[in-house]
């Protein structure tokens, strides 16, 4: 209940945030535009009236000045009456008329900008409202049927880019117009001071940033259009032609015919990933081959450990996705849906500096989230239907056994592949390449299976879809998880017995060795790349670096403080009469003593800092950090994490591993501390001489990473056939 309540509260907050960005922000821009309209109208009317009045007055004064230049004229302004000679009045009225004409011109320039503010805000509002409405209607219709899900999404994906572009363009026009209006308005201020100039510059910069952000945002929106064309899926495996495995193709053709499903155009076998089918483009390595059409992927380690009935149930399940609406779903919906999610995620990550894109990104994510529940619902039903279809080719018990057995095979496959990935680089002849499929079978034959019960809540691996939990799929088949089912699913492979896969392929052992060679070649290449990266990291921190406390600013501060104390003390002593102290010798002596103490203390502290400046604050060696505040070095491999702080006071904070020794700090290190319970070391300083906080943090990071890289390289040289991840997996299959 509490979790549901928190989820509902989070959903409400998200909805309020969306409404604020998509609806309330444009409304606020409209309100600003209306206010600007009133100001523009008042200013324009005032400028026109002033210009007309001053023109009339100027003509009258010029006539008087022409007949009597020395005539004294009295003008009634806002304050007291002003008397001026006619010739002087002419020059001042001309200046006032020039300013009035300038204000009139400015008023005429900025008046259209208010309509840009209002029009852009209205455009953004209607774009956002249309997007919310379209997302809501599409989400409701998507729950009616799988066909309606596809149709609703296709309509939304054709509308969404235009809607998002409308929001971006409208919001950009509104922000740019509002900023320019305020920038131009500053020309009407009577006292255009330095502060006014700064505000003017800020408004202009804001408008320029908004314009640039709009341009970059619209360029970014092109990615949304581009990613409607899905990218190929990537998998490791090899295409199996019918000549290489005639029995496999005959078996698959028989299963497809029995359930009236379409036959796959391509059958692919590989070492991992699990069973799946797809109608999307599939790029296979190591051949870098692009496969199109209907593809069926079969993992070899699973084929070697499943019997005929279980394989029939699984392949029947996969082929069921090639029938009915699943074909349209997999071709027209799943890859494009995933691609659009990737596009929006890319826009969200690229939003830094493009604030005008943020409302559109929020709206795009909301529109996609409206489909999530419907997608999960129909995906769940598709898997249940495919399970039932596959069980008709064997029995429900066979299908249930296959679900459990594939779940417990996965950890064994992962262990063997991880161990092989970290294995030695000796190659020799092709016959020397190990058979990782046979190793997986031998592993479970020797060591048995892990407990299947914790795995029943897991989902079967698939490159595009999220399957329902295994326990729900078994329940939907009407099979009870009892001792008989578990005994069948956890049967041990018979040593030396041929698997059903041997009958399906002409050269099963040769195929498994070829796939193992592909995997190990790739593993060796990845290890080589990893080694190159590690060696480069190590080379970047191979020498020691000495850093010093940045005491110079504090020394000068203390000298200045001492001078202030001394100056104040001398002033009190020699100018006591003027300060009202008279001949109060006690007061003079007390003030002199206090100021002398302050001056001497400041100078002594400055001298202490000057002497300490010659001592290194820290020495960063490839193996450890030596700090003058600590009684012993801190090995980099004992540091789990670090952070550099430079807000209130400069400090380097180190988080130690659980088994790392904790040093002690010197008593004089008053700004450093050791938290033994949390295993945190904080080294305080005035700063790092000649280095900013970010640069020092990067320096520490280089040494920290280099130490772990050196440790990894040393472990690889000592134990070339083992790595930590494989050791941790041992015994857990």
């Amino acid at each position: 209940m509490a979790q549901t309540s928190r989820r509902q509260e989070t959903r409400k907050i998200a909805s309020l945030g969306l409404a604020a960005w998509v609806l309330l922000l444009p409304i606020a821009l409209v309100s600003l535009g209306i206010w600007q309209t009133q100001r523009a109208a008042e200013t324009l009317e005032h400028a026109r009236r002033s210009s007309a009045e001053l023109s009339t007055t100027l003509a009258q004064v010029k006539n008087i000045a022409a007949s009597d230049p020395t005539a004294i004229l009295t003008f009634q302004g806002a304050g007291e009456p002003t008397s001026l000679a006619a010739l002087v009045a002419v020059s001042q009225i001309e200046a006032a008329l020039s300013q009035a004409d300038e204000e009139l011109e400015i008023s005429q320039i900025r008046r259209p900008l208010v309509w840009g503010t209002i029009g852009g805000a209205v455009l953004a509002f209607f774009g956002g409202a249309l997007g919310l409405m379209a997302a809501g209607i599409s989400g409701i219709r998507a729950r009616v049927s799988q066909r309606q899900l596809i149709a609703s999404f296709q309509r939304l994906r054709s509308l969404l880019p235009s809607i998002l572009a409308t929001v971006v363009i409208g919001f950009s026009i509104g922000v740019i117009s509002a900023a320019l209006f305020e920038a131009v308005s500053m020309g009407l201020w009577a006292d255009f001071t330095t502060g006014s100039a700064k505000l003017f510059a800020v408004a202009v910069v804001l408008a320029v940033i908004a314009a640039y952000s709009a341009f970059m945002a619209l360029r970014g929106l092109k990615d949304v259009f581009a990613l409607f064309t899905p990218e190929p899926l990537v998998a490791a495996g090899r295409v199996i032609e019918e000549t290489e495995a005639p029995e496999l193709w005959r078996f698959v053709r028989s299963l497809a015919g029995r359930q009236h499903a379409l036959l796959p155009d391509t059958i692919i076998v590989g070492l991992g990933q699990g069973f799946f089918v797809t109608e999307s483009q599939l790029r296979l390595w190591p051949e870098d081959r692009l496969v199109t059409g209907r593809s069926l992927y079969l993992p070899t380690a699973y084929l070697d450990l499943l019997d005929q009935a279980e394989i029939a149930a699984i392949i029947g399940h996969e082929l069921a996705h090639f029938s009915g609406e699943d074909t349209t779903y997999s071709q027209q919906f799943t890859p494009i849906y995933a691609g659009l999610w990737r596009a929006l995620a890319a826009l969200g990550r690229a939003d830094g500096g493009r604030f005008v894109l943020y409302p559109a990104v929020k709206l795009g994510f909301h529109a996609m989230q409206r489909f999530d529940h419907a997608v999960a619902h129909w995906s769940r039903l598709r898997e249940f239907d495919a399970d039932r279809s596959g069980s008709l080719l064997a029995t429900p018990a066979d299908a249930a056994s296959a679900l459990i057995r594939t779940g417990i095979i996965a950890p064994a496959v992962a262990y063997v592949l991880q161990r092989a990935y970290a294995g030695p680089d000796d190659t020799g002849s092709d016959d020397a390449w190990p058979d990782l499929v046979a190793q997986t079978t031998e592993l479970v034959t020797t060591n048995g299976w892990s407990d299947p019960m914790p795995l029943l809540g897991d989902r079967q691996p698939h490159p595009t879809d999220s399957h329902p939990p295994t326990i729900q799929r078994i329940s939907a088949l009407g099979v009870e998880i009892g001792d008989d089912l578990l005994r069948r699913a956890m049967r041990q492979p018979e040593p030396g017995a041929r698997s059903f896969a041997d009958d399906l392929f002409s050269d099963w052992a040769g195929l498994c060795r070829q796939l193992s060679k592909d995997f190990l070649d790739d593993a060796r290449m990845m290890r080589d790349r990893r080694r190159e990266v590690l060696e480069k990291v190590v080379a970047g921190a191979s020498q020691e670096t000495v850093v010093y406390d940045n005491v110079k600013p504090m020394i000068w501060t203390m000298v200045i403080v001492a001078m202030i104390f001394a100056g104040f003390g001398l002033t009190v002593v020699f100018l006591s009469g003027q300060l009202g102290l008279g001949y109060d010798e006690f007061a003079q002596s007390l003030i002199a003593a206090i100021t002398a103490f302050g001056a001497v203390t400041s100078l002594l502290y400055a001298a202490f800092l000057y002497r300490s400046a010659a001592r290194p604050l820290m020495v960063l060696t490839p193996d450890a950090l030596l700090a003058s505040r600590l009684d012993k070095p801190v090995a980099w491999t004992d540091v789990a994490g670090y952070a550099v702080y430079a807000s209130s006071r400069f400090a380097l904070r180190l988080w130690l591993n659980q088994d790392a020794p904790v040093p002690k700090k010197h008593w004089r290190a008053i700004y450093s501390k050791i938290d033994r319970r949390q295993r945190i070391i904080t080294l305080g300083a005035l700063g790092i001489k000649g280095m900013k906080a970010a640069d020092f943090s990067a320096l520490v990071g280089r040494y920290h990473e280099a130490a772990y890289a050196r440790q990894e390289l040393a472990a690889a040289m000592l134990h070339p056939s083992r790595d930590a991840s494989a050791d941790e997996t041992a015994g857990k299959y």
Side-chain angles (χ1 to χ4, degrees):
M1 290 294 292
Q3 186 176 2
T4 302
S5 177
R6 284 195 299 270
R7 192 181 299 114
Q8 291 176 346
E9 185 177 351
T10 303
R11 194 177 295 117
K12 288 180 180 178
I13 294 174
S15 299
L16 289 175
L18 176 68
W21 276 101
V22 177
L23 299 178
L24 297 182
L25 186 58
I27 290 175
L29 267 178
V30 170
S31 302
L32 176 61
I34 293 173
W35 180 50
Q36 289 178 339
T37 302
Q38 296 173 349
R39 291 162 55 198
E42 293 173 358
T43 304
L44 181 61
E45 177 61 27
H46 178 268
R48 284 174 176 170
R49 187 170 60 251
S50 297
S51 179
E53 292 176 354
L54 287 171
S55 297
T56 303
T57 304
L58 179 61
Q60 294 173 354
V61 173
K62 279 185 175 181
N63 291 333
I64 296 173
S67 59
D68 187 4
T70 59
I72 302 300
L73 304 178
T74 301
F75 297 91
Q76 180 64 50
E80 295 293 329
T82 303
S83 297
L84 298 171
L87 287 177
V88 175
V90 168
S91 62
Q92 292 192 4
I93 294 173
E94 286 177 343
L97 179 59
S98 176
Q99 182 177 352
D101 290 340
E102 183 180 342
E103 292 179 357
L104 179 60
E105 184 178 353
I106 292 175
S107 300
Q108 290 172 340
I109 290 173
R110 71 176 189 161
R111 190 174 188 184
L113 293 174
V114 301
W115 301 114
T117 303
I118 295 174
V122 170
L123 185 64
F125 177 84
F126 279 109
L130 178 62
L132 292 175
M133 184 172 62
I137 294 173
S138 298
I140 293 172
R141 288 180 175 176
R143 296 184 180 92
V144 175
S145 67
Q146 185 168 290
R147 187 183 300 273
Q148 190 61 251
L149 166 66
I150 297 172
S152 298
F153 179 74
Q154 288 176 335
R155 283 193 294 268
L156 181 66
R157 80 181 182 95
S158 62
L159 286 174
L160 189 58
S162 299
I163 291 173
L164 298 185
T166 300
V167 173
V168 170
I169 293 171
F171 188 45
S172 302
I173 292 174
V175 171
I176 293 170
S177 299
L180 289 178
F181 179 93
E182 298 302 333
V184 172
S185 298
M186 293 176 190
L188 302 176
W189 293 9
D191 49 344
F192 195 75
T193 61
T194 303
S196 305
K198 290 180 180 179
L199 290 176
F200 176 82
V202 168
V204 172
V205 168
L206 179 61
V208 171
I209 291 175
Y212 173 76
S213 300
F215 172 73
M216 297 301 295
L218 293 175
R219 281 188 57 184
L221 282 175
K222 290 194 304 183
D223 296 337
V224 178
F225 292 91
L227 285 180
F228 280 158
T229 302
E231 297 178 356
L233 300 174
V234 179
R238 290 185 176 266
V239 174
I240 301 299
E241 304 294 345
E242 190 162 357
T243 55
E244 300 175 83
E247 291 300 322
L248 171 65
W249 277 93
R250 189 178 297 114
F251 179 64
V252 173
R253 188 175 288 110
S254 171
L255 296 177
R258 289 169 59 187
Q259 63 183 157
H260 305 289
L262 295 173
L263 188 69
D265 300 312
T266 307
I267 297 179
I268 303 164
V269 295
L271 286 182
Q273 292 190 308
F275 296 85
F276 69 88
V277 292
T278 182
E279 294 187 69
S280 302
Q281 291 183 338
L282 193 64
R283 186 171 297 281
L284 295 179
W285 63 267
E287 298 176 296
D288 194 23
R289 179 174 178 176
L290 187 65
V291 178
T292 59
R294 295 182 298 275
S295 301
L296 169 64
Y297 186 95
L298 305 175
T300 49
Y302 292 74
L303 290 177
D304 204 47
L305 291 167
L306 297 167
D307 62 21
Q308 180 176 351
E310 292 167 335
I311 293 175
I314 293 175
I315 294 180
H317 167 101
E318 300 300 340
L319 294 180
H321 290 309
F322 286 149
S323 62
E325 294 180 348
D326 278 4
T327 299
T328 306
Y329 185 90
S330 60
Q331 281 182 324
Q332 301 180 11
F333 179 78
T334 302
I336 299 176
Y337 182 75
L340 188 53
W341 261 115
R342 289 195 301 272
L344 288 172
L347 284 177
R349 290 192 299 269
D351 187 38
R354 284 182 256 165
F355 61 92
V356 296
L357 182 60
Y358 193 71
V361 172
K362 294 277 288 186
L363 180 60
F365 277 119
H366 170 74
M368 294 299 292
Q369 288 167 356
R370 297 290 294 175
F371 278 91
D372 277 355
H373 294 297
V375 169
H377 171 72
W378 295 117
S379 177
R380 178 190 181 93
L381 294 183
R382 287 171 62 247
E383 293 306 318
F384 289 152
D385 289 341
D387 283 339
R388 283 190 290 269
S389 180
S391 69
L392 297 177
L393 301 177
T395 66
D398 292 327
S401 175
L403 286 170
I404 296 176
R405 195 166 177 83
T406 53
I408 58 178
I409 289 173
V413 173
Y415 170 71
V416 170
L417 294 183
Q418 287 176 352
R419 186 177 59 184
Y421 184 86
D425 290 341
D426 55 312
T427 55
S429 65
D430 288 345
D431 294 337
W433 288 98
D435 184 345
L436 300 180
V437 176
Q439 286 185 12
T440 305
T441 302
E442 182 183 355
L443 177 69
V444 297
T445 301
T446 305
N447 296 69
W449 301 101
S450 58
D451 183 6
M453 300 309 292
L455 302 174
L456 295 180
D458 293 344
R459 293 167 167 80
Q460 296 296 328
H462 192 280
T464 58
D465 293 336
S466 178
H467 289 54
T470 301
I471 192 169
Q472 293 183 10
R473 297 173 67 182
I474 294 175
S475 177
L477 289 170
V479 178
E480 182 181 353
I481 302 177
D483 292 339
D484 292 340
L485 177 63
L486 293 176
R487 191 179 304 112
R488 168 157 165 61
M490 298 181 66
R491 66 188 182 277
Q492 291 290 100
E494 297 181 11
R498 285 171 56 89
S499 67
F500 180 60
D502 282 298
D503 300 329
L504 296 178
F505 295 86
S506 300
D507 185 8
W508 173 245
L511 174 64
C512 292
R513 284 196 300 271
Q514 179 62 58
L515 293 173
S516 300
K517 181 179 183 300
D518 293 341
F519 178 85
L520 293 171
D521 283 343
D522 181 70
R524 185 179 65 253
M525 182 181 66
M526 296 300 293
R527 287 198 304 272
D528 290 342
R529 290 181 180 176
R530 175 68 177 170
R531 186 181 301 111
E532 290 176 3
V533 172
L534 293 175
E535 290 173 350
K536 185 176 180 181
V537 170
V538 169
S542 58
Q543 304 294 327
E544 71 175 31
T545 301
V546 181
V547 296
Y548 295 88
D549 204 348
N550 189 24
V551 299
K552 188 174 181 180
M554 183 57 72
I555 290 175
W556 279 108
T557 300
M558 291 297 100
V559 170
I560 293 172
V561 169
M563 292 173 64
I564 293 173
F565 272 117
F568 182 74
L570 292 174
T571 301
V572 169
V573 171
F574 292 102
L575 299 176
S576 58
Q578 289 83 343
L579 295 176
L581 296 177
Y583 296 98
D584 190 342
E585 295 181 358
F586 176 77
Q588 294 179 18
S589 301
L590 179 61
I591 294 174
I594 293 174
T595 54
F597 177 79
V600 171
T601 303
S602 300
L603 290 174
L604 288 175
Y605 184 55
F608 169 77
L609 292 176
Y610 181 78
R611 291 185 60 187
S612 66
R615 295 193 302 270
L617 175 67
M618 302 175 196
V619 179
L620 287 72
T621 71
D623 297 319
L625 170 69
L626 287 74
S628 60
R629 272 75 163 152
L630 303 177
D631 65 337
K632 58 184 176 182
V634 178
W636 291 116
T637 52
D638 288 339
V639 178
Y642 75 95
V644 175
Y645 300 93
S647 53
S648 58
R649 189 171 183 86
F650 191 93
L652 170 63
R653 183 165 294 174
L654 306 174
W655 285 267
L656 300 182
N657 294 317
Q658 287 299 318
D659 56 347
V662 181
K664 297 179 181 179
K665 76 178 185 71
H666 295 307
W667 64 270
R668 292 179 297 177
I670 57 176
Y671 295 115
S672 300
K673 63 179 181 178
I674 306 292
D675 187 336
R676 295 189 173 276
R677 188 171 62 86
Q678 298 291 333
R679 309 184 68 79
I680 299 174
I681 301 174
T682 302
L683 300 174
L686 296 174
I688 302 298
K689 184 179 180 181
M691 200 176 298
K692 295 181 179 179
D695 298 330
F696 179 66
S697 179
L699 177 67
V700 174
R702 286 198 298 272
Y703 278 91
H704 186 234
E705 293 173 5
Y708 276 98
R710 191 180 298 103
Q711 184 183 57
E712 185 175 338
L713 288 172
M717 293 180 64
L718 271 173
H719 305 288
S721 63
R722 300 174 59 190
D723 76 348
S725 59
D727 290 341
E728 291 173 0
T729 313
K732 296 183 180 179
Y733 49 84

